[in-house]
Each structure stands twice: as structure tokens, then as C-alpha cells.
Amino acid sequence: MTAEQMATGDNRPVPARPLDDIDHAILRILQTDGRASIRSVAERVHVSRANAYARINRLVEDSVIRGFTARVDHERAGQGAAAYVTLKIVQNSWRTVREQLGELPGAAHIALVSGDFDVLLLVHTPDNRALRELVLTRIQSIPEVLSTRTLLVFEETDLDPS
């Protein structure tokens, strides 16, 4: 919520300002290296540091950039088992289910989708035993979850956004 929205009490979503080629170039750089310095970004997109700083701040303020994070090698971090878990859920229970799934250890991504199932959940666990426990005990005990199907991930690759 922007400062103006807070002052007026208007909580309707504000459309993001249009992005130009420089904004898109900045996003590609930061997706590849979230720790890139302002100076480095400015040099690579051929703008001043002040301009790069202002653009990045605007992208954050407009929620185009939702945060900065580290890309983790889950296997090296002790989370060697991964799976996509598909869920069928009770109609109109998405918000409740999303909240509960978000609290699960190892939940990496949650999406409401269309098709043969309602929710797609990516999880990382130390091993298959922990994965089994997570699915059979934790996920299937959520009252709004009607059924699950687990798809083991044999190998993952982060795509380079550039």
C-alpha cells in the first residue's frame, strides 16, 4: 500500500507504472544477481547511479520487485529430496489452504492452477522419508485437502532469466 493510499484509506490495487527497456534490463540483471551494486547496474544499462537507484526504488515501491533472495542449492543445503505435490481442495478454500501450506517446512512455491487439480506445491525435504511424512501426515491432514498426488523431482535447474 502506498503512502497516498494509507492517507486516503483507499486499498484498491494501484496499477504499476509502465516499464521501459531500461527497467526490463534492470530486472534481468537483478534476477541474475540480486546483489548487483547500483554502480554495476547503472553501468550495464548506461544510466547514472542516481537514475538506477531511483528506478530500482520505484520498481520496489510498485511491487514489481517483491524482494531479494538467494538461490539455494537444496541438495548442498541438506534438502536433497524434492517433489511437486498436486492437491485437490474443497471449493473456495484456497486462502485457508495456502496459509497452511505456507507454514510447512520445505514449502518453496504454491500456486492455484486450473486443470485436473487445484494447487501445485513444490517442496524440498532432507530425504524421501521426510517427504513421505510431510505429504501423508501434514498435507493430507489439512481438512480442506481432498486428495494429493506426489511427483518426485529427479533433477532441478534454475533457468537464467537473461
Side-chain angles (χ1 to χ4, degrees):
M1 187 177 277
T2 66
E4 183 179 327
Q5 285 176 302
M6 291 191 319
T8 62
D10 183 1
N11 62 356
R12 289 177 293 173
V14 176
R17 291 172 263 200
L19 304 183
D20 62 17
D21 291 342
I22 294 172
D23 293 325
H24 286 289
I26 290 170
L27 290 174
R28 283 191 300 276
I29 291 166
L30 293 176
Q31 284 177 303
T32 302
D33 180 7
R35 294 178 63 179
S37 68
I38 297 290
R39 188 174 114 213
S40 168
V41 170
E43 289 172 358
R44 291 171 61 187
V45 299
H46 309 291
V47 298
S48 70
R49 284 187 295 193
N51 188 310
Y53 182 80
R55 284 173 176 268
I56 292 170
N57 277 347
R58 189 194 75 216
L59 291 167
V60 170
E61 182 180 297
D62 287 352
S63 299
V64 174
I65 295 175
R66 296 183 301 178
F68 296 87
T69 187
R71 292 191 329 226
V72 175
D73 181 322
H74 294 283
E75 193 167 337
R76 292 181 61 95
Q79 300 288 306
Y84 285 96
V85 182
T86 67
L87 295 83
K88 289 186 181 182
I89 62 173
V90 171
Q91 190 172 6
N92 296 322
S93 65
W94 161 241
R95 287 180 179 84
T96 302
V97 172
R98 178 185 60 198
E99 201 172 287
Q100 293 177 70
L101 294 175
E103 295 173 1
L104 295 174
H109 183 83
I110 305 165
L112 179 65
V113 298
S114 65
D116 293 336
F117 48 88
D118 304 307
V119 177
L120 182 63
L121 170 68
L122 173 61
V123 295
H124 295 275
T125 61
D127 53 36
N128 284 342
R129 175 172 279 156
L131 176 60
R132 178 181 177 277
E133 179 71 18
L134 182 70
V135 173
L136 297 180
T137 303
R138 301 283 302 271
I139 296 173
Q140 290 185 356
S141 70
I142 297 171
E144 296 84 2
V145 172
L146 301 173
S147 66
T148 64
R149 177 172 287 162
T150 303
L151 308 165
L152 293 178
V153 174
F154 295 127
E155 186 175 323
E156 286 184 277
T157 302
D158 285 337
L159 298 178
D160 184 354
S162 59

